[in-house]
Amino acid sequence: MRILSYKPGHDGTVALIEDGRLVFSHESEKDSFPRYTDLSPSAMLNAAEQLDGPPDVVCLSGWVKGFHSTEPPVGAGYFGWDESGILAGESRMFGHPVRTFSSTHERSHLLSAYGMSALAHGQPCYALVWEGNIGSFYLISEDLRIRRLSAVLEDPGNKYQHIFALADPSSPGEHGGFRFSNAGKMMALTGFARRTPVSRAEHELIEYVLDQPSILLTAPKEKLAWSGFHDIGVESQEFKDLAAKHSQAIFDRFLAVAERELTDGLPLLIAGGCGLNCDWNQQWRESGLFPEVFVPPCPNDSGSAIGTAIDAQLHYTGESKITWDVYSGPDFVHDRGPEQLHEHFDEEPLDLSRAAGLLASGRVLAWVQGRCEIGPRALGNRSLLAAPFEQGMRDRLNQIKLRECYRPIAPVCLEEDVSEHFDWTGPSPHMLYFQAVRNPSLRAVTHVDGTARAQTVSAAQNLRLHSLLGAFKQVTGAGVLCNTSLNLPGRGFINRTSDLIAHVLDRGIDGFVLEDRLHLARNRSLSSTEGRA
């Protein structure tokens, strides 16, 4: 069965599942479109190019006609976890009869996590969906019926980012200062917090925000002008302390419910945008409540098209599981010929030992291989790579990306060596957990609190990146590199030669690897942030 699925609204995505296999998932932001963008004609056309015939089922992932979840529904709408809200029918596509299917946004999160997990079909588990609007625990039973166990907190993701907007003088006035980018910045700033008791002013603000029914509608920023944190500045120490305490207060509310109600020792699946919070993921993993915790690489809305397609597969075939690869995004677009490349770059065949030596000497290289990653994290196919030993390299990478200086840079590491460098055992292939850094020489990837968000790589997962790390280990003694997203500011991953060339030249990147060719920018002097200490 061929199932084509569309997710409208922000993080718009088109996904195709055929006979239980994820064929592709194309997110609208990829190919240098704005981050979090709505489903675009480009994404739909890219998906159509991959089809050699009409699908059997066309899915519309439930959504709303507006900014917030209170707007009128699109398809099956936003809320609902059981099968009662499923809409199934018939229509035509390109002159061919097709089945139509829509289920709620809430179910898209649940089914994406279940279908992509390693759990066997019918294995019972708990699930947590926490995102902008939903914050609930569920039980998925052996017959794959879903029961909500507890609605813990309304708007957890929106409430998490709300105090960033409150403290940021540049935040917009509408929707309480909401910006999708606030949450990631706040996660970085929590690492700078001092370990001090919660003050009366902090407690008053945190409790006020968490007790609002819908923070973007009931407590816009101007209504919180009474708080001493209003427009205080997000890089102030006072805000950094507040950010960590606010983050922990949200987690503790969920933990208290889990300790009380999730007592049967079942695995936990995590979905929703809050599944990108590595601190929270690590705390769930260390809570001792669950024998296994699984977070898909696309827990945010970029995984919703996949989740609705899995739901349709379950509805029509009774099968809940799919096989998938994290590198299921679009192919790279070669839209510039050799003459444009040779105008600015010296080209040579890729020799991994030479590339490793360049990185060890302080060069920064863009790294493009195969198909794009799904989800928001660069996992070695659309990456910016550099040596991890000097703090100055972190600063240079943030300058290249036009990011704030407080943003950390993540490492990528040989899976077999991860315990040598980080407090971790086994794979962590999707960069979804924090680990304490054991190797003091990894200064560029060690956050101020001594942690990193490491990605592990095995030969089976990504052979060429694994081989590059092995070659870098031969040169430096450590199979670890800086790995940050290859993207223009505020845009999804670069996915065509013209954008790649322009970005490398504009931002002072030393060169790029495109498939099996190395291109080095001419007249580019070596930065002084290099090398092994």
Side-chain angles (χ1 to χ4, degrees):
M1 176 173 280
R2 179 183 288 178
I3 303 170
L4 184 66
S5 183
Y6 296 96
K7 191 276 175 184
H10 72 79
D11 293 325
T13 308
V14 186
L16 178 69
I17 290 175
E18 186 167 8
D19 297 331
R21 179 179 68 90
L22 178 64
V23 179
F24 63 76
S25 180
H26 289 186
E27 301 152 32
S28 289
E29 72 171 39
K30 302 293 169 67
D31 194 16
S32 300
F33 283 91
R35 291 290 315 275
Y36 320 110
T37 196
D38 290 355
L39 184 61
S40 67
S42 293
M44 297 173 71
L45 288 172
N46 289 341
E49 287 179 358
Q50 308 235 355
L51 297 174
D52 58 5
D56 300 298
V57 182
V58 177
C59 299
L60 178 63
S61 192
W63 197 242
V64 293
K65 295 179 178 178
F67 170 72
H68 204 254
S69 57
T70 55
E71 297 282 347
V74 171
Y78 204 96
F79 297 108
W81 56 89
D82 60 22
E83 298 176 346
S84 62
I86 287 176
L87 303 175
E90 296 181 353
S91 187
R92 299 182 69 80
M93 189 173 194
F94 303 120
H96 295 270
V98 295
R99 298 173 181 175
T100 61
F101 179 91
S102 182
S103 59
T104 66
H105 181 68
E106 192 167 355
R107 275 184 69 90
S108 77
H109 285 312
L110 291 160
L111 270 296
S112 66
Y114 193 86
M116 296 179 75
S117 75
L119 301 181
H121 174 86
Q123 181 174 346
C125 64
Y126 296 122
L128 167 61
V129 174
W130 52 353
E131 44 117 83
N133 301 287
I134 300 167
S136 298
F137 286 113
Y138 310 80
L139 174 67
I140 303 178
S141 61
E142 292 180 357
D143 60 0
L144 301 186
R145 302 291 180 180
I146 299 173
R147 177 164 60 94
R148 189 172 72 175
L149 299 176
S150 181
V152 181
L153 185 66
E154 187 174 350
D155 273 15
N158 294 336
K159 289 172 178 175
Y160 177 80
Q161 69 82 41
H162 193 71
I163 63 164
F164 186 99
L166 175 68
D168 181 10
S170 70
S171 64
E174 63 178 1
H175 304 311
F178 175 84
R179 289 177 296 205
F180 287 109
S181 59
N182 288 351
K185 296 176 183 179
M186 187 164 139
M187 186 167 67
L189 288 165
T190 60
F192 291 85
R194 299 171 296 190
R195 297 182 179 274
T196 56
V198 178
S199 70
R200 180 176 178 178
E202 290 169 335
H203 176 78
E204 183 179 19
L205 177 61
I206 290 169
E207 292 303 307
Y208 179 86
V209 169
L210 296 190
D211 288 342
Q212 295 299 304
S214 180
I215 193 69
L216 301 183
L217 302 180
T218 61
K221 180 175 175 176
E222 60 269 18
K223 288 189 176 181
L224 295 176
W226 52 263
S227 169
F229 296 98
H230 184 272
D231 283 347
I232 195 173
V234 296
E235 294 193 56
S236 66
Q237 187 60 55
E238 291 81 3
F239 176 74
K240 294 171 183 175
D241 295 344
L242 171 69
K245 294 166 187 176
H246 182 67
S247 176
Q248 193 59 46
I250 293 174
F251 182 84
D252 287 345
R253 288 204 178 191
F254 283 85
L255 178 63
V257 174
E259 290 176 333
R260 184 174 67 247
E261 300 186 21
L262 278 59
T263 58
D264 289 340
L266 299 176
L268 176 68
L269 308 180
I270 296 175
C274 296
L276 294 170
N277 189 307
C278 298
D279 176 39
W280 289 346
N281 289 343
Q282 187 66 9
Q283 289 193 67
W284 285 124
R285 194 172 182 266
E286 295 175 348
S287 68
L289 297 174
F290 313 105
E292 179 182 352
V293 175
F294 172 73
V295 188
C298 46
N300 63 337
D301 286 8
S302 67
S304 287
I306 296 172
T308 303
I310 293 171
D311 204 2
Q313 177 182 274
L314 176 63
H315 179 81
Y316 289 113
T317 72
E319 179 54 57
S320 64
K321 309 301 294 184
I322 63 169
T323 59
W324 58 277
D325 189 304
V326 75
Y327 307 110
S328 295
D331 289 310
F332 191 79
V333 178
H334 297 271
D335 66 346
R336 290 292 184 270
E339 61 279 2
Q340 286 91 356
L341 289 171
H342 295 159
E343 182 180 353
H344 299 286
F345 299 92
D346 294 320
E347 179 183 351
E348 59 190 79
L350 174 62
D351 180 293
L352 292 176
S353 295
R354 171 156 164 73
L358 290 167
L359 291 165
S361 71
R363 302 293 178 113
V364 175
L365 297 178
W367 180 264
V368 176
Q369 301 292 315
R371 293 170 64 179
C372 235
E373 300 89 333
I374 61 174
R377 303 252 159 97
L379 301 173
N381 276 18
R382 301 292 183 273
S383 291
L384 202 60
L385 302 180
F389 305 117
E390 297 297 331
Q391 290 185 8
M393 182 58 78
R394 177 197 62 209
D395 297 335
R396 183 185 174 197
L397 291 171
N398 276 330
Q399 290 167 3
I400 287 172
K401 292 171 67 67
L402 298 177
R403 300 197 317 176
E404 298 83 0
C405 63
Y406 58 76
R407 302 286 290 273
I409 297 295
V412 60
C413 176
L414 290 168
E415 182 181 304
E416 57 268 30
D417 292 351
V418 64
S419 297
E420 176 184 345
H421 304 291
F422 307 98
D423 186 14
W424 188 269
T425 302
S428 181
H430 303 134
M431 209 181 281
L432 290 167
Y433 298 92
F434 281 146
Q435 301 90 5
V437 179
R438 288 176 170 171
N439 183 345
S441 72
L442 303 179
R443 290 180 283 273
V445 296
T446 302
H447 198 30
V448 65
D449 61 357
T451 67
R453 186 181 71 193
Q455 175 201 0
T456 62
V457 175
S458 67
Q461 174 195 352
N462 191 322
L463 178 58
R464 184 163 285 175
L465 181 58
H466 184 271
S467 299
L468 175 67
L469 288 165
F472 189 75
K473 181 179 179 180
Q474 289 292 316
V475 177
T476 68
V480 183
L481 286 167
C482 296
N483 174 23
T484 188
S485 302
L486 178 61
N487 64 301
L488 301 162
R491 305 275 164 167
F493 298 161
I494 286 171
N495 204 51
R496 60 183 58 238
T497 320
S498 54
D499 288 338
L500 178 61
I501 293 171
H503 186 57
V504 169
L505 295 176
D506 179 62
R507 301 308 307 154
I509 299 168
D510 297 301
F512 62 90
V513 172
L514 177 55
E515 304 298 350
D516 58 357
R517 308 293 292 181
L518 170 64
H519 302 79
L520 294 176
R522 295 197 188 101
N523 305 318
R524 188 64 52 80
S525 61
L526 181 63
S527 169
S528 60
T529 59
E530 49 316 313
R532 174 92 189 206

